[in-house]
Amino acid sequence: MAIDYAQATTERASANLKTRSLPMDDTPGLRAALKQGEPHTLLMTYVHLSSDEAMLDRFAPHFKSPYAYPPEALPADLLGELREKLHHLLITPGAARDGSPSDALMRRMMAAGLAEDVEPEFLPLLFDQIGFRHETPRRDNPRRRPANPDFKVLVIGAGMTGMAAGIKLEEAGYEWVIIEKNAEVGGTWWENRYPGVGVDTPSHFYSFSFALNPEWHNYHPQGNDMFAYLKMVADDHDLRRRICFNTMVEKLVWDEEDAVWHVTVRTADGSEEIIRANAVINGHGPVNRLKWPNIPGLDSFQGIRQHTATWDSSTDLKGKRVGIIGTGASAAQFIPAVADDVGELHVFQRSRHWVMPTPAGEDVVSDGVKFAMRHIPHYLEWYRFRIYWYAADGLYPNVLLDPEWPKDSPSVSAVNEAMRQFAIGHIERSFPDRPDLREKLTPDFPVFSKRIILDRGNYFPTYMKPHVHLEQEGIARITPKGIVLKDGREIELDVLVCATGFDVANMMGKLEIVGVDGKRLRDEWGMEDPRAYFGMLIPGFPNYFHTVGPNSAPNHAAGQNLISECQVHYAIECLDWLNARDKKALQPTVAAFDAWQDKVQTKMVNMIWSHPRAFSYYNNSQKRNFLSWPWRLVDFWNECRGPRHADFELL
C-alpha cells in the first residue's frame, strides 16, 4: 500500500526530452502514438507543422468546451484523415514546414482546440508555461552580474520552490546555497508517503515549464512519480552540490551595519552554524507543519496512531479496525487505497467537501501517448497547453461573486451554480439508491469556496462497501480503545489515522525572524495572521522573500508550480535591480505594504471566500482569507515580471 521510495530513483533518469526531429521512422510505436494520441493535441501538432488552417475549420464544429463531460466523440473519418495527414508529415522528408506558426495562428489554434477564445493577454504566459519559448519580459535593463561577487542568496527548503530558486539563481549568476531539513530534495513529495498519496493537479502541467516530462505513468501523478521527477530535475541541474541536507534553519537576524542576514542553522548532530547571506528566499512552504485534531483524549489512544503527513510505511493495516479523521484531499486518496485491506474502516467526517469526477479508468498514460510525448515534435507542449487551460484561469469565473445573485444561495453566480449542479450530479450518479450517503456527502456551501476533492472513480464507490462506514456524528472524545461520538456510541479501533491537514496559517512555523531595529516577524504575524506586500515582502525585513506566502495561493485553480516559478523570477528581478543600482538591500515601503493589504481586502469582498458559508483552511479564526490570490493566474504572472520601483526603498 505504501510507497517504496527506494525504487523511486533512477527509473525517471530518462525523462528528459529526447531528441525530437523529423523525418521520423515509420515504426509500430509511431502508429500506436497516432492511434492513441489525444485528438485535440494531434490536431494542434499537425497544424503547427503544416499551417493547414483548413483542418481547424473542419474540426471546429465538433470541438466543445473542455469542461464538457463526457466529451463528444469525433467523426471517425475526420479523425482518421487527421492521423494520416500527420503521419505523412512526420515520416516524409521536407513535408513539415520550418519554423513556428505566427502568434496569430497560434492563438487561432488555441481557440479552435478549446472551443473558446484566448485573449492576446494570455499569450506571453502560455508561450512561457507550455514550453514553446521562455520569454523573460523585464521591467529593468538586461541582467548584469551582481556588483559584489560575494553577494550570496540563501534558500530555505529544497521542495518545488527551493529547487526552482537554485536553478534560476545559478542561471542569473548568483552565489547560492539551499538549506534542507530532510535527507533528499522533494519537500512535500519526499515527506508524504501515506497509501494512495498523489497529486490533484494533472501531471503534464504540475511540473516545471523548463523541465517538461514525457514519462509520466499517470495523468495525475502518484507520490513516488512526483518525487522521482523532482529527483530527476535535481540530477539534471546538479543541485545537490549546493544543498545542505539534514539541516534546519532556526533563526534569521538582520545585520543593519553590514546589510546581511545572520542565519542560524542546526545540523543533524545538533551543532549550530551561522551563515551570512545577503538575501533569503524562504521556500519552506505551508504544508509541512502537520496539525493534530484538537479532540479530548487524543494522546490516550493505546492503538496505533498516525498522521498521514508522517506516515510510517511499516504499518500493517490488513484486517485491522481502522478509523480515519477527516475527508479532505489526503483522506480521499487514503480511503480507497486501504479499504480492501482493512477489516473495518470508519471515516469520521468533520465537514463536507465538494467532489468532482475525473474520467474513471483513463488515468494511466498509454505507451502510445508516451511515445508521442517523447518523439513527436510539439505534441507534449500542445498537450500541456490544453491541460493548463482547463485547470487554470478558465475556472476563475467560479470564484467571482455576482452582486445580483441571492445572498443566501449555496452558490455565488450562474456559472458557479452550474458547477454545483455538475457536482451534485456526480453524487446522485454515485449513490442512486443511498439517500443517506447523498445527504451526508452534499455540502451546503459554494463549490470552490474550499479545496475541491477529485474522485478518480474509486473514492465515492468505497463508501458502498459493507465494511466502510461514514460517520457524520461529531466526535466527543478519544479513549484508549477508540472514539466516542456525541450520540454516545463508542467505536473501538486498532488504528487511528488523522488526515487533519496542516497549520497553514502559521506561515513562519518555528522559524524566528528578526529584522530592522529588532523587529520580530512573529509580533507582526502572530500565529495565524500573516500579511505581506505582494505575498512575499514585509517592511523592516530587507532582502527577505517569503514564497508561497500570504494571499499568493491560486485557490481557484491548479498551479503551485507556476506560482513557484513566478515568485522565484520576481525575487531575482528584485535582486538584479538592487545590484544594478549598487545598493545593498531593498524593502517595500510601509505605504506600499498598506496599500497592498487594502487592495487585497477590497477585492476579497467580491470573491467566493467571502460567502457566509465559506469556511476552510484558507481563512483564519477571524474568517480573514490570508491565503488566496483573488485575481487570475495571468495577473500573477504579469505582476511577477519585476518590482514596481515606486513601491520600494533601496538601502
Side-chain angles (χ1 to χ4, degrees), residues 17 19 49 61 71 115 121 266 278 313 328-329 421 460 480 509 529 531 640:
L17 290 180
T19 301
L49 293 170
E121 67 171 324
R266 185 179 298 276
N278 300 84
S313 299
Q421 291 300 325
F460 271 178
D529 198 33
R531 300 171 189 260
C640 281

Side-chain angles (χ1 to χ4, degrees), residues 390-518:
Y390 67 71
D393 281 338
L395 298 171
Y396 185 70
N398 280 284
V399 298
L400 295 174
L401 284 172
D402 179 352
E404 303 300 322
W405 200 252
K407 297 295 187 293
D408 59 349
S409 172
S411 57
V412 297
S413 66
V415 171
N416 187 250
E417 175 62 20
M419 189 66 76
R420 190 177 81 93
Q421 291 300 325
F422 175 73
I424 288 175
H426 179 52
I427 296 172
E428 292 176 344
R429 287 188 300 272
S430 299
F431 308 107
D433 302 318
R434 292 291 303 273
D436 59 320
L437 287 175
R438 294 201 302 270
E439 189 280 327
K440 288 180 179 180
L441 292 166
T442 302
D444 63 354
F445 53 83
V447 180
F448 286 102
S449 62
K450 69 177 180 180
R451 183 174 177 176
I452 287 173
I453 306 302
L454 289 185
D455 182 0
R456 302 181 189 179
N458 62 357
Y459 176 52
F460 271 178
T462 303
Y463 290 119
M464 299 291 287
K465 298 178 184 292
H467 69 294
V468 177
H469 314 285
L470 179 59
E471 307 289 351
Q472 192 178 23
E473 187 72 28
I475 298 174
R477 65 185 184 277
I478 297 174
T479 71
K481 293 183 178 181
I483 286 180
V484 176
L485 300 178
K486 291 183 178 179
D487 63 6
R489 286 183 294 138
E490 181 170 11
I491 298 173
E492 295 189 355
L493 302 171
D494 302 309
V495 180
L496 177 60
V497 179
C498 295
T500 48
F502 301 90
D503 188 7
V504 177
N506 179 17
M507 288 190 171
M508 287 177 58
K510 296 180 180 179
L511 183 61
E512 184 179 358
I513 305 177
V514 183
V516 175
D517 294 331

Side-chain angles (χ1 to χ4, degrees), residues 232-310:
M232 178 206 75
V233 173
D235 292 340
D236 289 348
H237 293 271
D238 196 17
L239 288 181
R240 290 182 185 82
R241 64 189 170 85
R242 292 195 181 182
I243 301 177
C244 298
F245 290 108
N246 298 308
T247 304
M248 175 72 77
V249 177
E250 296 190 333
K251 188 175 184 179
L252 308 176
V253 179
W254 178 250
D255 182 332
E256 295 181 52
E257 182 176 351
D258 290 341
V260 296
W261 285 101
H262 293 279
V263 183
T264 301
V265 301
R266 185 179 298 276
T267 60
D269 64 6
S271 61
E272 281 191 359
E273 178 185 355
I274 295 179
I275 302 173
R276 288 165 57 94
N278 300 84
V280 173
I281 297 177
N282 189 343
H284 72 183
V287 290
N288 58 45
R289 295 174 290 279
L290 62 84
K291 180 186 290 185
W292 291 100
N294 185 21
I295 300 174
L298 178 64
D299 293 335
S300 71
F301 182 66
Q302 293 180 354
I304 298 172
R305 189 190 74 181
Q306 289 213 46
H307 194 290
T308 50
T310 54

